[in-house]
Every structure is written in structure tokens, then in C-alpha cells.
């Protein structure tokens, strides 16, 4: 069984910010230069996929049995936006039972992060949590992130 443990789902289209970030990650990993157009084409399955159908098609093409799927809670995003994205991840998991392992993304620097995470688990059916401390500038082991 093949499980992809890091699959983003986003309500946003692939845009220049995302494309440039992916190019930056490739450079950091010492990959050969890749044209932005090629990156955009490669990651277009992430965009404009409100029900997760293209994501599951991509899993099928890639011979992936299950994927851990989550959105990305950037501190700059309004709470309503990120909670709607988390809700959608749960909805996609219910749409494709046995294929999607839905994880929540709640930035721990939000004042009400524990309540938001609880809602993700109890109301949206999400079963795990994914943080992006490297992108959001917080220290994952800091005590305030666990209170």
C-alpha cells in the first residue's frame, strides 16, 4: 500500500506566489532549474478542484492508495477562510472514503486555536493535524503552542 503523507488541498488557484515558492523549494533542495511554466503545469491539479476529484485522479495516476490531505493555515488568512478550507477537506474525505486521511491545519498562534482544532475534529471529521512552522514563523516546541 502506498500512502502519500503530505498532500495539500487549497481553495486557491495555483498562482505566481505558489509557483515561485515551489521554485524556491526546488532551489533549496539543489534541484536543476525548472521553468515556472513547467511548475505551474505540474501543480495545476491542486487548483480549481473544489471536490477533490482531480486530486484523486492524480493519486490514481501516481499509484497512491491513500493520501493525508490538509490545507494550509497561514496566519494572514481570516479564520472563516481557513475553517471553510478545513471543512472542505473533511467533505472531500467523506466523498472518497478510504482514500483520503483528513488532517486539520490550524496555526497555533491563533488566539482560539484549541477551539478551532476541536471543531475540525468533532464537526468536520478530521483525524490529525499538520503545522507549517517553517513557513509561518513559529517554534513548534514552544509551550504556548500546546496550552
Amino acid at each position: 500500500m502506498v500512502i502519500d503523507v503530505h498532500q495539500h488541498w487549497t481553495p486557491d488557484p495555483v498562482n505566481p506566489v505558489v509557483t515561485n515558492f515551489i521554485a524556491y523549494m526546488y532551489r533549496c533542495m539543489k534541484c536543476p532549474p525548472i521553468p515556472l511554466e513547467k511548475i505551474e503545469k505540474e501543480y495545476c491539479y491542486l487548483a480549481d478542484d473544489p471536490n477533490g476529484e482531480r486530486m484523486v485522479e492524480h493519486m490514481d495516476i501516481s499509484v497512491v492508495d491513500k493520501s493525508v490531505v490538509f490545507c494550509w493555515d497561514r496566519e494572514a488568512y481570516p479564520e472563516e477562510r481557513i475553517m471553510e478550507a478545513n471543512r472542505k477537506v473533511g467533505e472531500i474525505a467523506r466523498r472518497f472514503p478510504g482514500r483520503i486521511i483528513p488532517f486539520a491545519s490550524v496555526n497555533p498562534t491563533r488566539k482560539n486555536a484549541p477551539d478551532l482544532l476541536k471543531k475540525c475534529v468533532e464537526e468536520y471529521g478530521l483525524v490529525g493535524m499538520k503545522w507549517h512552522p517553517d513557513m509561518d514563523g513559529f517554534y513548534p516546541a514552544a509551550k504556548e503552542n500546546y496550552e
Side-chain angles (χ1 to χ4, degrees), residues 8 17 21-22 24-25 72-75 107 130-138:
H8 288 259
V17 172
F21 173 71
I22 292 168
Y24 169 75
M25 287 192 318
W72 178 16
D73 182 5
R74 304 240 11 228
E75 191 174 22
N107 189 318
K130 170 66 171 123
W131 281 351
H132 287 88
D134 54 332
M135 297 302 302
D136 291 327
F138 64 86

Side-chain angles (χ1 to χ4, degrees), residues 30 45 58 73 97 103 107 125 137 139 144 146:
K30 308 292 187 217
Y45 75 93
H58 187 76
D73 182 5
F103 271 37
N107 189 318
Y139 183 59
E144 62 268 16
Y146 294 93

Side-chain angles (χ1 to χ4, degrees), residues 85-99:
N86 277 307
R87 187 191 66 74
K88 271 306 266 190
V89 168
E91 188 177 292
I92 291 168
R94 286 186 295 282
R95 185 179 174 107
F96 298 99
R99 300 294 308 276

Side-chain angles (χ1 to χ4, degrees), residues 24-92:
Y24 169 75
M25 287 192 318
Y26 284 163
R27 285 193 305 275
C28 289
M29 294 185 294
K30 308 292 187 217
C31 295
I34 300 172
L36 293 179
E37 299 80 26
K38 184 172 181 180
I39 293 171
E40 189 171 304
K41 183 178 179 187
E42 176 70 22
Y43 287 90
C44 69
Y45 75 93
L46 291 171
D48 259 348
D49 188 21
N51 299 312
E53 286 137 354
R54 285 202 313 217
M55 180 173 54
V56 172
E57 285 174 15
H58 187 76
M59 290 168 59
D60 292 340
I61 291 166
S62 303
V63 195
V64 171
D65 298 300
K66 298 178 182 227
S67 286
V68 174
V69 177
F70 44 86
C71 55
W72 178 16
D73 182 5
R74 304 240 11 228
E75 191 174 22
Y77 291 162
E79 180 180 309
E80 297 78 24
R81 180 187 185 282
I82 195 59
M83 291 306 286
E84 176 60 18
N86 277 307
R87 187 191 66 74
K88 271 306 266 190
V89 168
E91 188 177 292
I92 291 168

